Amino acid sequence: MLIASVVLYLLVTIAIGLWAAMRVKNSKDYIVAGRSLPLYMNTATVFATWFGAESVLSVSVEFSKSGLGGIIADPFGSSVCLVIVALLFARAFYRMDLLTIGDFYRKRYGRSMELGTSVVIAISYLGWTAAQLTALGLVFSTLTDGAIPLQTGILISGVVVLAYTIWGGMWSVAMTDLFQSVMIIAGLAIIAWFVGDAAGGAGKVIGTAVEAGKFEFWPKGGAKEWLAFVTAFLTLAIGSIPQQDIFQRVTSAKNERTAVAGSLLGGTVYFCFVFVPVYIVAAGLLIDPSLGTLLSAPDARETQRVLPEFILGHTPMWIQVLFFGALLSAILSTASGAIIAPTSLCTENIIRPLYPYMSDRQFLLTLRIVLVSFTLAAVIFALNSKQTMYDMVQNAYTVTLVAALVPLAAGIFWKRANNAGAILSAVLGLVAWLIAAWTAPEATVPPTLVGLGFSIAGMALGSVVPRAAAQAHHGSH
């Protein structure tokens, strides 16, 4: 019955995605849903896209291993990111009437920055998308008791996500996100009530976590530990701002006010609800402490089996159906957004400038071809990575933090920012981060902070020094 329910759920999701495709008449519909999403749908897309596999399977495990301090990046950093976007960036994004964030770099700095940042941002999505496909593969493997190996499950995952995204684009993402948000919230809330009650009540679950020191937030140690803590927070809090999926959700709203409110509401709901799976895992480990052995498994990916294994071994069938329905919702909603975002960037900002006379129909066809290609690349990445989903997500945002954030923020808030500063910022940030990560990955100052520092310095030097030199030269004459 459980496997049949999962198959039925997947078929319903694909059907919704295909039905949504009927709304796609042009490339604007495909990329930003025609800029017509009302507040409830815009909020759902923000929440459902952020609430992914790592939120259910990885954040909960990281809390059980390291406490609140271990999940500073997600949900704390990721939630703050959405608040920052809503308050500081949403209005600027919406008023520009652009299809992609790559269009911003072109409009503000020129073709070279458009191409460079689009490539960097698109590549950053490989890890995030691979995390979702790995999670879905893990579900298939767990449900069949290993009859479907993880690798085969990942391949099936790619096909499923592609099936309902390829025709409808952002409209399919928005429609399925709305359905999936309801499934996530209702399903996990009921499960939390049932499992918490079985563990002795919320008081006992929370009290045990407090006694075990799981609510200790601030790092213990010296400068190295504090800098690592700050870096983890900044990686998601600001490193995920220059991402196409956030840009798409802001600009798919029906108006500027909805864009701001949708980001704020989505971020708030996400932060509040992400602790529900954390609570479920804490209760599950109370009921069956033997599951704690998975927390120290040699293959880091095995730690993500704690919650599925508990649900399968200790709950009735109706709870299992609810759980896997909610889990599939979380994975599919994030995975669909994670493949449409880089697809939009690659097609609009890398391929289209090479063929300026491409018709809208040809552009739509190219979008779908690129979607298939990126999904294949993400599948290959997932098959060859042994990182946890939590690590994959953090690594994805490190790239944009050191190479794309400073040019974006300076381009909006600093009038002196210019093309030379933007290029120097992106190049210095990326190169410094790579060198530091290669030569001194365990240094007191994390490579990510080194890259961010050089990115800021590059923007300042490139934008101020040439101007000052020109003024000095003009003054001498």
Side-chain angles (χ1 to χ4, degrees):
M1 179 184 171
L2 180 57
I3 294 176
S5 299
V6 168
V7 172
L8 177 62
Y9 178 83
L10 293 175
L11 292 175
V12 169
T13 302
I14 292 172
I16 293 173
L18 294 176
W19 174 67
M22 296 170 62
R23 293 173 176 257
V24 176
K25 309 299 181 187
N26 53 50
S27 55
K28 193 172 184 179
D29 289 334
Y30 195 89
I31 295 177
V32 291
R35 283 177 163 250
S36 59
L37 297 185
L39 180 59
Y40 70 93
M41 288 189 71
N42 191 249
T43 301
T45 61
V46 172
F47 166 74
T49 301
W50 226 239
F51 197 93
E54 72 285 352
S55 306
V56 181
L57 301 179
S58 286
V59 173
S60 54
V61 168
E62 288 295 328
F63 174 83
S64 295
K65 290 170 62 177
S66 309
L68 274 183
I71 56 174
I72 181 62
D74 189 6
F76 292 96
S78 53
S79 300
V80 168
C81 168
L82 293 174
V83 174
I84 293 173
V85 167
L87 299 180
L88 300 180
F89 291 90
R91 288 182 175 86
F93 284 165
Y94 199 87
R95 289 172 186 173
M96 291 179 188
D97 194 24
L98 308 173
L99 277 180
T100 68
I101 199 167
D103 289 346
F104 167 84
Y105 291 102
R106 182 192 68 243
K107 189 174 182 179
R108 185 65 174 80
Y109 299 117
R111 171 62 182 157
S112 56
M113 275 300 291
E114 174 193 23
L115 179 62
T117 52
S118 296
V119 169
V120 167
I121 294 171
I123 290 174
S124 74
Y125 276 95
L126 277 175
W128 193 23
T129 309
Q132 311 311 314
L133 298 181
T134 300
L136 197 50
L138 185 66
V139 170
F140 292 139
S141 178
T142 302
L143 285 175
T144 59
D145 200 22
I148 296 179
L150 179 60
Q151 289 74 14
T152 305
I154 291 172
L155 291 172
I156 297 172
S157 304
V159 174
V160 170
V161 175
L162 195 61
Y164 79 89
T165 309
I166 188 168
W167 302 114
M170 189 59 195
W171 264 120
S172 290
V173 172
M175 290 292 194
T176 52
D177 278 357
L178 183 60
F179 166 67
Q180 289 158 345
S181 294
V182 174
M183 287 293 298
I184 292 167
I185 293 173
L188 290 181
I190 294 171
I191 294 166
W193 169 79
F194 179 88
V195 174
D197 189 59
K204 183 177 180 180
V205 174
I206 295 171
T208 302
V210 171
E211 290 176 10
K214 300 304 180 184
F215 282 87
E216 293 180 5
F217 184 71
W218 303 110
K220 294 180 179 178
K224 183 175 182 179
E225 288 73 21
W226 274 93
L227 286 173
F229 182 81
V230 171
T231 301
F233 175 77
L234 291 179
T235 298
L236 262 75
I238 60 176
S240 49
I241 292 174
Q243 286 285 4
Q244 173 61 17
D245 61 305
I246 289 181
F247 182 89
Q248 274 181 290
R249 273 136 197 81
V250 169
T251 55
S252 63
K254 67 177 183 179
N255 55 44
E256 185 180 310
R257 189 175 180 179
T258 300
V260 174
S263 297
L264 273 177
L265 285 172
T268 302
V269 174
Y270 171 74
F271 181 78
C272 295
F273 204 75
V274 77
F275 287 98
V276 174
V278 169
Y279 174 78
I280 295 171
V281 167
L285 289 173
L286 264 181
I287 295 170
D288 184 1
S290 66
L291 288 170
T293 57
L294 286 173
L295 298 177
S296 55
D299 186 340
R301 294 175 298 181
E302 291 298 307
T303 62
Q304 296 156 171
R305 290 185 180 271
V306 171
L307 189 48
E309 294 285 358
F310 168 75
I311 293 294
L312 285 174
H314 298 276
T315 61
M317 181 60 66
W318 67 274
I319 286 289
Q320 294 176 25
V321 171
L322 274 179
F323 172 76
F324 284 101
L327 179 57
L328 287 172
S329 295
I331 296 169
L332 292 174
S333 61
T334 302
S336 58
I339 63 172
I340 193 66
T343 294
S344 305
L345 273 173
C346 291
T347 312
E348 166 73 4
N349 303 110
I350 299 174
I351 298 174
R352 191 172 198 171
L354 302 176
Y355 304 96
Y357 301 107
M358 186 187 298
S359 68
D360 198 69
R361 186 175 179 180
Q362 291 171 324
F363 185 61
L364 268 173
L365 175 61
T366 307
L367 278 166
R368 288 167 175 141
I369 292 172
V370 173
L371 189 77
V372 174
S373 303
F374 184 82
T375 304
L376 179 61
V379 166
I380 293 171
F381 189 96
L383 289 172
N384 290 281
S385 176
K386 292 190 180 296
Q387 292 180 312
T388 66
M389 285 169 271
Y390 197 81
D391 291 333
M392 283 190 205
V393 170
Q394 286 196 66
N395 291 338
Y397 292 128
T398 299
V399 179
T400 49
L401 176 63
V402 301
L405 172 72
V406 174
L408 174 67
I412 294 176
F413 300 110
W414 193 35
K415 292 182 179 179
R416 289 191 177 187
N418 60 23
N419 188 36
I423 293 175
L424 197 58
S425 172
V427 171
L428 283 183
L430 195 59
V431 170
W433 167 61
L434 289 172
I435 291 174
W438 178 262
T439 59
E442 301 299 325
T444 299
V445 180
T448 302
L449 280 189
V450 173
L452 179 60
F454 271 86
S455 182
I456 295 170
M459 175 56 74
L461 288 172
S463 299
V464 174
V465 173
R467 185 188 297 268
Q471 289 175 342
H473 177 74
H474 180 71
S476 67
H477 290 281

